[in-house]
Amino acid sequence: MTDVFAPARLGPVRLRNRIIKAATFEGVTPDAVVTDRLIEFHRTVARGGVGMTTVAYCAVSPEGRTDRHQIWMREEALPGLRRLTEAVHAEGAAVSAQIGHAGPVANAASNRSPALAPGRFPNPLGMRMTRAATAEDLDRIVDAHATAARLAIEAGFDAVEIHFGHNYLVSSFLSPRLNRRRDSYGGPLENRARLALEIARAVRDAVGDRIGVTAKLNMDDGVPGGFWLDESVQVARWLEEDGSLDALELTAGSSLLNPMYLFTGDAPIREFAARFPRPMRWGVRAAGGAFLRRYPFQEAYLLDRARQFRAAVDLPLILLGGITRLETMERAMADGFAFVAMARALLREPDLPLRLRDGARSLCVHCNKCMPTIYRGTRCVLEAGPESG
């Protein structure tokens, strides 16, 4: 059996083990550049024993942020990003930048720019209509991914993760529910997957073998009429055939339409409602259950779906979704997965990888009350510590 804690290669990168800190927006970049809090967030996780930590979210363009407080990849961001990568490397871990374009998940009001999407439809996040992306928009965004990847190299990152999930821009193009276009980017799956393949190829061409390239791909959106397993498996095959990726991380759910489908566990409606002004707070509490649906938590809840990809492609796969136990990681290795990714459990215990090696159990109770903290610094609310904005 493959040892979870043995060194492993991700493309050209050597990781000290097979545990990756998954991308979770840290909520500590109010000016869209690196802060000391962001550096300490990832330094702490690196010190805790992961093989690689992932910085989320590094948008490829200003309108590609979910809101204006997120980092977007540009020259001005490089000094802070270099400090971050140096801090992680000093702890013995590798570091990846999650790059992408939020598309219809962007808050147009916050960004002061229309949210781009395959077509025009109401965007509940910014209370505005999306704008249908033109062919010129898509060419620009493909080029912006390549530029972001080159900047990641300059900043000292070991890898980039391209965001193809959660109904962000590429994922919205993959979705037959959201993509009703009649041009070469709409209709049959081959067309809906065109943007994903173009971006992956552009990133690979930009970086060569200097850093690792992974992508986070939705296995299914969790909404009626959305992207589903059979189509996702085919997209994974095309990505493998293209040779642009070193690994594929498998995810699910829609930040736009059904976010709890990814997280599972308790739905923190009251906690989210508390983040809004009083009139909106009452509405969120009354209607939040329709958006934050409840799905029972179980360990490795994406594993059964992910096995279908393991059977279909030889590309290294990263298993995500409710992984908190060493025996789960060992089972993933036995099933042929190259890496496992953790997120919420590391918010409560950044040193969980080291503790698991010594026989400990995760303290995460899957309450998901960490989710609303993204507005003022992502953290586990069950751990003591000041909240600051």
Side-chain angles (χ1 to χ4, degrees):
M1 180 187 298
T2 302
D3 182 359
V4 175
F5 294 101
R9 297 205 69 83
L10 177 62
V13 185
R14 182 184 184 274
L15 306 187
R16 63 185 175 189
N17 60 48
R18 296 174 180 269
I19 303 173
I20 295 172
K21 164 67 177 69
T24 48
F25 179 52
E26 305 90 348
V28 290
T29 54
D31 298 316
V33 292
V34 171
T35 61
D36 289 343
R37 289 183 68 193
L38 182 67
I39 292 172
E40 190 57 29
F41 182 100
H42 287 283
R43 189 204 314 268
T44 302
V45 173
R47 188 182 301 134
V50 297
M52 183 167 73
T53 186
T54 310
V55 179
Y57 159 77
C58 301
V60 300
S61 59
E63 86 286 348
R65 297 172 288 177
T66 61
D67 69 48
R68 69 179 182 276
H69 302 298
Q70 289 181 322
I71 294 172
W72 65 281
M73 296 296 277
R74 63 203 192 282
E75 292 288 338
E76 293 85 345
L78 286 181
L81 290 170
R82 288 192 188 103
R83 288 198 300 124
L84 190 158
T85 59
E86 289 168 2
V88 171
H89 290 153
E91 300 294 343
V95 56
S96 176
Q98 184 189 63
I99 62 173
H101 192 291
V105 178
N107 185 325
S110 176
N111 285 339
R112 303 183 181 97
S113 180
L116 297 180
R120 183 173 166 81
F121 53 80
N123 176 2
L125 301 175
M127 303 303 290
R128 300 182 182 183
M129 297 294 289
T130 61
R131 179 170 72 79
T134 65
E136 291 74 19
D137 288 325
L138 299 180
D139 288 343
R140 170 179 61 83
I141 289 166
V142 170
D143 289 343
H145 278 79
T147 298
R150 284 190 288 265
L151 289 171
I153 294 176
E154 289 188 46
F157 284 96
D158 303 286
V160 290
E161 175 189 280
I162 316 170
H163 203 327
F164 290 169
H166 307 162
N167 284 166
Y168 281 45
L169 185 66
V170 170
S171 176
S172 69
F173 268 76
L174 289 169
S175 167
R177 173 168 172 163
L178 297 176
N179 185 352
R180 307 293 178 87
R181 296 170 74 104
R182 297 182 179 178
D183 63 0
S184 61
Y185 289 93
L189 179 61
E190 183 178 6
N191 286 357
R192 286 183 280 120
R194 188 181 307 276
L195 183 60
L197 291 164
E198 288 179 347
I199 288 174
R201 175 42 52 193
V203 168
R204 174 55 74 190
D205 288 346
V207 305
D209 60 359
R210 289 176 289 175
I211 60 173
V213 179
T214 71
K216 175 176 272 186
L217 177 69
N218 258 23
M219 294 185 288
D220 68 287
D221 295 345
V223 297
F227 193 54
W228 185 243
L229 280 164
D230 56 344
E231 291 193 327
S232 185
V233 168
Q234 181 57 62
V235 173
R237 289 192 181 109
W238 286 334
L239 288 166
E240 179 177 47
E241 290 168 5
D242 185 69
S244 50
L245 300 181
D246 294 307
L248 191 63
E249 182 173 292
L250 300 169
T251 187
S254 168
S255 297
L256 190 69
L257 301 170
N258 191 5
M260 291 306 299
Y261 192 71
L262 165 61
F263 292 100
T264 77
D266 297 341
I269 296 171
R270 295 174 65 90
E271 289 76 13
F272 265 116
R275 296 293 178 182
F276 292 90
R278 195 171 299 276
M280 291 183 65
R281 185 181 308 171
W282 297 330
V284 172
R285 290 182 64 171
F291 180 62
L292 297 174
R293 304 168 200 170
R294 299 179 186 273
Y295 295 94
F297 175 86
Q298 64 180 37
E299 182 83 7
Y301 49 82
L302 296 180
L303 178 57
D304 287 345
R305 278 168 277 178
R307 283 184 176 127
Q308 299 184 49
F309 291 75
R310 181 66 294 155
V313 298
D314 294 324
L315 188 67
L317 298 180
I318 305 168
L319 181 66
L320 174 72
I323 299 169
T324 64
R325 300 175 182 173
L326 179 57
E327 52 264 40
T328 305
M329 299 177 183
E330 291 172 340
R331 177 163 45 124
M333 300 297 110
D335 284 350
F337 292 90
F339 301 92
V340 295
M342 308 176 72
R344 287 167 291 177
L346 292 176
L347 294 178
R348 182 156 193 184
E349 300 171 279
D351 63 344
L352 183 57
L354 295 177
R355 297 181 66 253
L356 288 175
R357 195 167 191 173
D358 293 333
R361 291 278 183 172
S362 169
L363 297 177
C364 182
V365 297
H366 323 296
C367 66
N368 291 318
K369 292 180 180 179
C370 54
M371 293 171 62
T373 69
I374 64 172
Y375 300 104
R376 299 186 66 182
T378 305
R379 69 195 192 288
C380 175
V381 301
L382 303 182
E383 291 297 298
E387 178 181 339
S388 58

